[in-house]
Amino acid sequence: MSDGDAHLAKLAELHEQTDRRFSATTAALPTKIGCGSGCFSCCVDELTVWEIEAERIRQAGLTIQTHQPGMCAFLDRDGRCQAYEVRPYVCRSQGAVLRWYDDVGERRASCDAHLAGLAFETLPESATFELGPAEHQLLGLATAWHGATGRRGLPLRIALRDLAEALATES
């Protein structure tokens, strides 16, 4: 296994950990989140991912038909994700009550379409998905994979629409 492949395997592990964290935090909510198969309110254009995540999607061998602009290019005609099994980190955390810290202090937010009226600030930490640690780990993997594959400079971000359109033309 090459160093690049080893970093891709670590990325798959990070994605699995993220899925477990998502399940644990949403299970701790006082109400069930309303999103599921066919929900795509968070699936918008202009999302970007680290090139290591784009490579994981490329290696999945997907046959893609791009969705119209405005919505994520990976949505099929029925609004389902064509890359769901290898979807990037940003997609794996959507739907949870997100928690992060900035210069003002702790902040919380989620999809208003499914959790409207829920007082996020009253939720225990166990019901929130902390942003920060996994993103730092992802940046480390992106940087290590970038160097291991012979690329120079800083790791790049790839627009999901550009990736989907490239995969569609390869199919």
Side-chain angles (χ1 to χ4, degrees):
M1 177 183 289
S2 74
D3 285 346
D5 290 339
H7 296 303
L8 283 166
K10 288 178 183 175
L11 175 63
E13 289 174 26
L14 176 63
H15 284 169
E16 289 172 15
Q17 291 169 2
T18 301
D19 292 345
R20 287 191 296 275
R21 283 181 50 220
F22 178 88
S23 294
T25 60
T26 56
L29 288 170
T31 184
K32 185 177 183 317
I33 62 170
C35 55
S37 181
C39 174
F40 50 89
S41 59
C42 297
C43 307
V44 296
D45 249 342
E46 300 179 14
L47 292 176
T48 63
V49 298
W50 293 109
E51 59 188 337
I52 186 175
E53 289 186 295
E55 182 61 21
R56 183 167 189 233
I57 295 169
R58 272 189 208 97
Q59 288 187 6
L62 304 172
T63 301
I64 299 293
Q65 295 180 348
T66 59
H67 199 278
Q68 73 268 8
M71 300 303 295
C72 179
F74 280 97
L75 292 175
D76 68 14
R77 305 277 186 262
D78 297 321
R80 288 183 172 75
C81 180
Q82 298 172 82
Y84 187 81
E85 293 302 317
V86 290
R87 69 195 183 284
Y89 174 83
V90 65
C91 301
R92 291 171 186 272
S93 61
Q94 295 306 305
V97 175
L98 305 175
R99 176 174 43 94
W100 69 97
Y101 301 90
D102 62 16
D103 56 345
V104 175
E106 181 183 280
R107 296 195 182 255
R108 295 180 180 195
S110 189
C111 176
D112 290 333
H114 301 295
L115 295 173
L118 184 62
F120 302 143
E121 64 279 355
T122 66
L123 294 173
E125 283 190 8
S126 62
T128 64
F129 189 99
E130 183 181 3
L131 297 177
E135 288 81 0
H136 290 291
Q137 187 178 356
L138 181 55
L139 175 58
L141 285 171
T143 303
W145 180 84
H146 187 79
T149 55
R151 290 165 172 82
R152 295 180 185 268
L154 297 173
L156 302 174
R157 304 261 324 161
I158 307 293
L160 284 178
R161 174 150 305 273
D162 292 345
L163 175 61
E165 289 174 354
L167 291 173
T169 60
E170 292 171 9
S171 303

